[in-house]
Amino acid sequence: MRREDHRSHSFCLHPRRWIYAGRLVLRRDRSETRFTWPIQLQKNHQPHQDPYTVELSPGLGLGAFATHDLATGSIILREAPVIRISRPSHLKGSGYPIAEVTRVVREEYTKLPPAAQDEVLSLTYHAKPGEVASLNNDPLGVIFRTNAYNTGDGFGLFPKIARINHSCRPNAGYYWSEALQKRIIYATREIAEGEEITVSYIPLTLPQSERQHRLNRYGFTCTCSACTLPPPSLALSDTRRRDIGTALSAFSTQLNLTISSSPSALRKARKNAKSSLELAKLVEGEGLADYLPEVCRIVAISHARVGDWGTASVWANRGFEGWVRVDQRGRETLEMFELTGRFVEMWKEQIRNETERG
């Protein structure tokens, strides 16, 4: 079953037909300091045709391909699960019992109309030798295991999303919306007409050999641009990805807005702020765009902890821009909206104090 992606205030957000198109702007001259945070909204004029079509992908069976150019942040697909189950009981360190998964999935499958049942049975799956036979020749459990995604408190099967193939340098990301009860697929960079749309089935901060080991459960060998680099370049990529994973883990325990005023704590905070920018460069250099919203949050908070409100505001706003296109009412969107507003106010106060001091 595939990986899951990466606040208390009252907010007035905008209808879904609008997308965020603003930029954080600071103007300052001798006579005055003026700030604008132009949350300008414009209509999302997406073409009416579906943004993707399902076609044969060389060596990978079926895949999803863009029917027209897609801008960064474009919504490719929103889909509710046709089958959704709670997490089965299992021993720590072991997989979910496939016999139990098969039983529960079949119960839900029988409730579907015939067309939906056919769509589920048409999905590709990977099974161990003799595994389906041991399940009374019922493939539903392994179909579900191969294609399901997390849905917060359980797992869900999304037949349309299941057609999207894997890449270790994907051009699309995914997100489970609790509000919509749908999984959202969105472009994490510009995607050209005719280009295959890809997501990641596994964590991407692993070296190539470990990524392939994880992908063996899906029954294919990854031949994406990241996995077929020449050996020297692949070794550098592996090192960068390990460093990204280590940094993300280290920062996860330090993302609060309180900091000691002791000299040693401030030195550490300044070092972390510098490291956060290095992390952003690594992520962008490796083409791991679906990690960028999380990294924007890290950079913003790390700079807020040292009182660099300008940098904190810019990166918080960048994170907000990334999330608001995906889910305007999502938890991450609201958090980055709040942080941006808070950091901008601190930046304004900082500039006013500097101006008054001459």
Side-chain angles (χ1 to χ4, degrees):
M1 296 176 191
R2 300 174 185 172
R3 76 173 176 92
E4 177 57 29
D5 355 348
H6 352 228
R7 334 197 207 198
S8 56
H9 262 264
S10 178
F11 301 98
C12 180
L13 296 183
H14 300 267
R16 293 194 185 100
R17 68 177 182 272
W18 302 93
I19 61 172
Y20 180 77
R23 288 294 185 275
L24 190 64
V25 178
L26 168 66
R27 292 193 181 95
R28 185 179 180 183
D29 56 35
R30 286 186 178 182
S31 60
E32 62 176 342
T33 303
R34 293 189 299 150
F35 301 85
T36 59
W37 181 21
I39 307 182
Q40 302 167 4
L41 298 166
Q42 62 185 22
K43 286 187 177 181
N44 184 3
H45 293 293
Q46 291 282 354
H48 290 298
Q49 71 178 120
D50 289 337
Y52 75 97
T53 184
V54 176
E55 300 175 1
L56 285 174
S57 178
L60 295 173
L62 296 175
F65 294 81
T67 56
H68 55 80
D69 292 346
L70 297 172
T72 302
S74 297
I75 300 300
I76 298 169
L77 175 63
R78 294 186 180 97
E79 185 178 15
V82 297
I83 294 176
R84 187 174 179 182
I85 67 172
S86 301
R87 296 176 185 271
S89 300
H90 71 293
L91 296 174
K92 188 176 181 179
S94 65
Y96 294 102
I98 189 62
E100 177 64 12
V101 171
T102 301
R103 183 189 69 78
V104 176
V105 169
R106 176 152 288 280
E107 287 181 358
E108 298 301 314
Y109 172 84
T110 59
K111 302 173 186 177
L112 299 176
Q117 290 182 347
D118 291 343
E119 190 175 28
V120 169
L121 289 177
S122 72
L123 297 177
T124 301
Y125 64 87
H126 177 67
K128 301 171 186 175
E131 188 174 25
V132 174
S134 72
L135 298 167
N136 297 318
N137 292 314
D138 187 347
L140 283 174
V142 289
I143 288 174
F144 191 86
R145 181 184 65 193
T146 303
N147 294 283
Y149 284 90
N150 290 336
T151 56
D153 59 352
F155 299 106
L157 185 64
F158 306 81
K160 293 179 175 60
I161 292 175
R163 295 300 184 191
I164 301 176
N165 287 318
H166 165 87
S167 172
C168 296
R169 191 169 283 157
N171 55 23
Y174 49 74
Y175 173 81
W176 171 253
S177 170
E178 284 290 341
L180 299 177
Q181 291 292 290
K182 292 182 179 181
R183 181 162 285 277
I184 301 170
I185 306 295
Y186 60 97
T188 55
R189 63 165 175 79
E190 293 183 353
I191 301 175
E193 179 181 352
E195 183 179 353
E196 182 166 11
I197 297 164
T198 56
V199 296
S200 173
Y201 298 171
I202 58 171
L204 295 178
T205 57
L206 302 171
Q208 189 273 339
S209 59
E210 292 184 37
R211 297 199 303 272
Q212 185 54 58
H213 178 73
R214 296 282 190 100
L215 291 169
N216 287 339
R217 73 186 73 172
Y218 301 106
F220 70 90
T221 298
C222 186
T223 58
C224 73
S225 61
C227 289
T228 53
L229 289 169
S233 299
L234 182 59
L236 288 174
S237 174
D238 284 350
T239 298
R240 286 193 293 264
R241 291 184 186 233
R242 286 193 190 96
D243 290 345
I244 291 168
T246 299
L248 290 173
S249 178
F251 274 112
S252 66
T253 62
Q254 303 175 45
L255 295 180
N256 59 71
L257 292 174
T258 59
I259 184 171
S260 170
S261 59
S262 69
S264 60
L266 287 173
R267 282 195 299 272
K268 181 179 180 182
R270 292 189 183 103
K271 182 179 179 181
N272 286 344
K274 181 179 179 181
S275 296
S276 71
L277 291 172
E278 294 171 354
L279 171 61
K281 289 180 181 179
L282 283 175
V283 168
E284 290 176 324
E286 271 299 298
L288 304 183
D290 55 340
Y291 284 77
L292 274 176
E294 179 182 358
V295 171
C296 288
R297 179 174 181 268
I298 289 172
V299 176
I301 293 176
S302 296
H303 284 79
R305 284 166 59 87
V306 298
D308 184 349
W309 301 110
T311 303
S313 298
V314 169
W315 281 87
N317 187 61
R318 184 177 173 184
F320 170 68
E321 283 186 294
W323 280 118
V324 75
R325 293 187 179 98
V326 179
D327 186 358
Q328 293 189 13
R329 300 182 185 277
R331 175 175 55 85
E332 291 85 355
T333 304
L334 299 182
E335 181 192 24
M336 297 313 296
F337 182 86
E338 177 186 2
L339 289 179
T340 303
R342 185 189 305 181
F343 295 166
V344 166
E345 290 304 312
M346 297 301 295
W347 190 15
K348 289 163 65 176
E349 183 178 350
Q350 186 179 60
I351 295 296
R352 280 194 295 267
N353 292 338
E354 291 175 358
T355 302
E356 289 171 0
R357 289 196 297 265

